[in-house]
Amino acid sequence: MEFEAITKRISDDMRARFANEGSGHDWMHIERVWNNALAIATAEGADIHLVSLGALLHDIADHKFYNNDLTEGPRQAFEAIIKHGGDAVLAHKVSDIVGQVSYKGAGVPTPVHSLEAAVVQDADRLDAIGAIGIARAFAYGGSKGRLLYDPSSAPVSHADFQSYATDKGPTINHFYQKLLLLKDRMNTATARRMAVERHAFMETFLTQFSREWHLSK
Ligand code: ADP
Ligand code: NI
């Protein structure tokens, strides 16, 4: 089957499945990552077809919703490509990208093995920072019943994936455990440039949050 037809079937399927997801992993997150991934891929000369399918399927089975199982996403991405008319070679390549996207803790390296995986990882991380990243972090924290902030709970620099994935700290800690670290962990020069303004906005937000917190005490 043609790439365009597979892409259309997969985007329709993902749009329907994630239309009303309430933790910041909804279809519009996928669509933003898809659009940014295509823009970065064009600037960086990556394979557009692989980046497109990798971005569309990167959150098909996020570990956070599968008992922190990191194999479920790549497995379901493989199945989706086959189900929608792709062959095993394509399914394997896309599944491989999906398996390289996730952040796993401040102290855990997340190396990428291809330019296409680098681009999808960067696009996903861009949507975790800036104004949208702030909104998503609090949406996710709210969906898990987390406090906004707790001065008695210090951020942790997680050395392994299990401790990162089972962290129950307040959402402000997540900025120090992940979001503020992302700009220096971008793989491509294009994404690094796109991250600058978003990163600065998070710093402004945190400064203002702290000001208001202390003024209200
Ligand atoms: P990843 O797979 O790298 O975790 P996602 O694209 O799945 O990235 O997005 C995770 C989203 O959920 C981000 O916006 C992130 O800020 C949010 N998130 C994840 N863990 C937490 C947490 N402990 N507290 C607040 N937000 C979180
Ligand atoms: Ni994502």
Side-chain angles (χ1 to χ4, degrees), residues 16 36 40 43 54 117 127 138 151 175:
N36 281 334
I40 299 167
D127 207 56
F138 288 102
F175 287 79

Side-chain angles (χ1 to χ4, degrees), residues 183-198:
K183 94 170 158 45
D184 292 330
R185 291 173 68 143
M186 293 295 168
N187 304 296
T188 64
T190 306
R192 255 195 304 282
R193 274 195 299 278
M194 292 165 80
V196 171
E197 186 187 359
R198 293 168 191 235

Side-chain angles (χ1 to χ4, degrees), residues 9-21 27 30:
R9 289 181 57 164
I10 289 183
S11 58
D12 286 351
D13 190 17
M14 294 298 285
R15 183 185 288 113
R17 282 172 64 175
F18 289 89
N20 292 313
E21 208 278 343
W27 162 250
I30 297 170

Side-chain angles (χ1 to χ4, degrees), residues 29 58-59 124 136:
H29 161 66
H58 84 277
D59 271 341
D124 190 35
R136 292 182 68 224

Side-chain angles (χ1 to χ4, degrees), residues 119-135:
V119 169
V120 177
Q121 190 189 73
D122 281 359
D124 190 35
R125 290 175 177 188
L126 280 171
D127 207 56
I129 64 177
I132 286 173
I134 295 169

Side-chain angles (χ1 to χ4, degrees), residues 25 29 59 62 64 102-103 124 136-137 140 146 174 178:
H25 292 78
H29 161 66
D59 271 341
D62 190 290
K64 290 188 278 307
S102 254
Y103 182 82
D124 190 35
R136 292 182 68 224
Y140 182 84
R146 308 271 169 79
H174 190 62
K178 175 182 175 187

Side-chain angles (χ1 to χ4, degrees), residues 2-214:
E2 288 299 313
F3 161 76
E4 279 73 18
I6 299 175
T7 305
K8 170 87 173 76
R9 289 181 57 164
I10 289 183
S11 58
D12 286 351
D13 190 17
M14 294 298 285
R15 183 185 288 113
R17 282 172 64 175
F18 289 89
N20 292 313
E21 208 278 343
S23 77
H25 292 78
D26 55 281
W27 162 250
M28 284 182 279
H29 161 66
I30 297 170
E31 195 175 41
R32 290 190 300 270
V33 172
W34 188 26
N35 288 335
N36 281 334
L38 289 176
I40 299 167
T42 304
E44 299 282 336
D47 183 305
I48 298 288
H49 293 184
L50 288 180
V51 165
S52 187
L53 293 170
L56 279 169
L57 291 169
H58 84 277
D59 271 341
I60 189 168
D62 190 290
H63 63 79
K64 290 188 278 307
F65 308 108
Y66 286 85
N67 216 1
N68 303 320
D69 182 351
L70 289 164
T71 64
E72 194 59 23
R75 197 185 66 70
Q76 289 196 28
F78 188 96
E79 279 181 0
I81 298 286
I82 300 291
K83 178 177 153 202
H84 292 297
D87 63 20
V89 173
L90 179 66
H92 186 79
K93 286 182 182 165
V94 174
S95 159
D96 193 47
I97 292 173
V98 171
Q100 295 174 55
V101 175
S102 254
Y103 182 82
K104 299 187 180 70
V108 186
T110 45
V112 283
H113 309 299
S114 67
L115 177 58
E116 288 71 29
V119 169
V120 177
Q121 190 189 73
D122 281 359
D124 190 35
R125 290 175 177 188
L126 280 171
D127 207 56
I129 64 177
I132 286 173
I134 295 169
R136 292 182 68 224
F138 288 102
Y140 182 84
S143 79
K144 295 280 177 185
R146 308 271 169 79
L147 289 174
L148 302 179
Y149 174 52
D150 177 0
S152 70
S153 168
V156 181
S157 181
H158 299 102
D160 62 272
F161 173 65
Q162 268 311 314
S163 61
Y164 170 72
T166 53
D167 184 282
K168 301 267 184 294
T171 299
I172 287 287
N173 287 7
H174 190 62
F175 287 79
Y176 299 93
Q177 294 169 180
K178 175 182 175 187
L179 308 186
L180 292 170
L181 310 177
L182 294 180
K183 94 170 158 45
D184 292 330
R185 291 173 68 143
M186 293 295 168
N187 304 296
T188 64
T190 306
R192 255 195 304 282
R193 274 195 299 278
M194 292 165 80
V196 171
E197 186 187 359
R198 293 168 191 235
H199 180 88
F201 187 76
M202 290 194 296
E203 293 196 316
T204 303
F205 167 79
L206 289 168
T207 303
Q208 179 71 12
F209 187 99
S210 169
R211 266 173 64 77
E212 293 176 15
W213 189 276
H214 291 288

